[in-house]
Amino acid sequence: DAEITQSPRHKITETGRQVTLACHQTWNHNNMFWYRQDLGHGLRLIHYSYGVQDTNKGEVSDGYSVSRSNTEDLPLTLESAASSQTSVYFCATGTVELPATNEKLFFGSGTQLSVL
Amino acid sequence: AQKVTQAQTEISVVEKEDVTLDCVYETRDTTYYLFWYKQPPSGELVFLIRRNSFDEQNEISGRYSWNFQKSTSSFNFTITASQVVDSAVYFCALSEAPQGGANNLFFGTGTRLTVIP
């Protein structure tokens, strides 16, 4: 069965360190997204990609970067981790059924990141 | 500006009771999409339903039903005869067109449902 794999499931790091969260999907979806989930805010979009070599900023992109070198992977990098980036991070993938039509999203199981 | 409000932060019901989760949205677009996602204790988000703004028909899927009312900007979710496995956090979300796509998907803050055996 197709799936989305996020790793690690839990990560503890120190302020100022660079951290990369992995997202690997076998759905063969072009669209991939990174969200963060915080109490009182729901899920907020960090970055997204509509295909290889395509990346775009979302609502809360400051301090984060992504790269898309193949269809399957969209790693999320925290350039210099800050305590405000302690959160649960979700990767999602989706299909585009028609142009400008909203796709159904499939979510990974999340990565709990703690920045101390 | 778009906004999704889930005023109920937490709800507890006893098994077999019916429960309704409220979702109120704001948007200036005439074309938009509404979603419900379930987040069980395992963490991953599970897609439940997508509804476009031109389709106000209520939908039923097993014990789940959704009531979309444009007049009150609401998209409420009812679980009939709740079960312990329904315990989860439920998110309502809004996406606007033509920019719409998941890049323009706005989530509510979620409602944590606990079903007590």
Side-chain angles (χ1 to χ4, degrees):
Chain A
D1 288 344
E3 61 181 2
I4 303 170
T5 304
Q6 289 187 237
S7 60
R9 287 299 308 272
H10 303 274
K11 174 76 175 177
I12 299 174
T13 190
E14 296 177 345
T15 303
R17 290 189 179 264
Q18 184 180 81
V19 177
T20 297
L21 309 183
C23 176
H24 178 81
Q25 55 113 349
T26 57
W27 285 99
N28 199 33
H29 289 164
N30 285 327
N31 305 340
M32 297 185 73
F33 308 86
W34 274 103
Y35 290 88
R36 60 178 288 175
Q37 182 180 18
D38 303 290
L39 199 62
H41 287 280
L43 287 108
R44 292 180 290 173
L45 183 63
I46 305 171
H47 281 284
Y48 59 99
S49 168
Y50 281 158
V52 176
Q53 302 302 329
D54 176 74
T55 61
N56 305 280
K57 294 181 178 180
E59 180 188 359
V60 290
S61 60
D62 287 348
Y64 303 94
S65 64
V66 294
S67 61
R68 188 86 180 273
S69 59
N70 57 54
T71 301
E72 295 79 19
D73 299 289
L74 187 70
L76 176 72
T77 298
L78 287 68
E79 304 294 345
S80 178
S83 57
S84 60
Q85 293 176 307
T86 293
S87 185
V88 180
Y89 291 85
F90 285 95
C91 178
T93 72
T95 59
V96 178
E97 296 171 356
L98 291 171
T101 296
N102 297 271
E103 59 266 51
K104 180 191 301 186
L105 289 183
F106 298 84
F107 283 81
S109 52
T111 294
Q112 171 71 61
L113 176 67
S114 298
V115 183
L116 305 179
Chain B
Q2 60 287 110
K3 184 179 180 181
V4 176
T5 301
Q6 295 180 255
Q8 305 151 307
T9 305
E10 296 190 30
I11 301 175
S12 293
V13 298
V14 176
E15 200 171 20
K16 297 185 182 178
E17 288 185 346
D18 299 347
V19 58
T20 296
L21 310 182
D22 297 333
C23 174
V24 174
Y25 62 91
E26 296 178 26
T27 178
R28 293 177 182 171
D29 281 11
T30 56
T31 302
Y32 52 89
Y33 294 78
L34 296 165
F35 301 76
W36 276 95
Y37 286 89
K38 175 182 180 180
Q39 185 181 38
S42 53
E44 78 279 11
L45 274 81
V46 178
F47 169 86
L48 295 178
I49 190 172
R50 177 184 65 199
R51 173 67 52 166
N52 75 57
S53 54
F54 296 108
D55 182 3
E56 286 194 72
Q57 281 193 347
N58 292 329
E59 182 159 339
I60 298 174
S61 176
R63 296 184 296 106
Y64 295 172
S65 61
W66 290 270
N67 182 1
F68 177 28
Q69 292 194 338
K70 290 179 74 171
S71 61
T72 56
S73 297
S74 64
F75 186 45
N76 296 337
F77 173 32
T78 297
I79 301 174
T80 303
S82 59
Q83 300 176 1
V84 173
V85 293
D86 296 327
S87 296
V89 179
Y90 291 86
F91 289 95
C92 180
L94 164 74
S95 184
E96 296 172 328
Q99 304 90 342
N103 59 303
N104 201 27
L105 188 65
F106 293 89
F107 286 86
T109 51
T111 297
R112 180 178 298 278
L113 173 66
T114 301
V115 181
I116 303 167

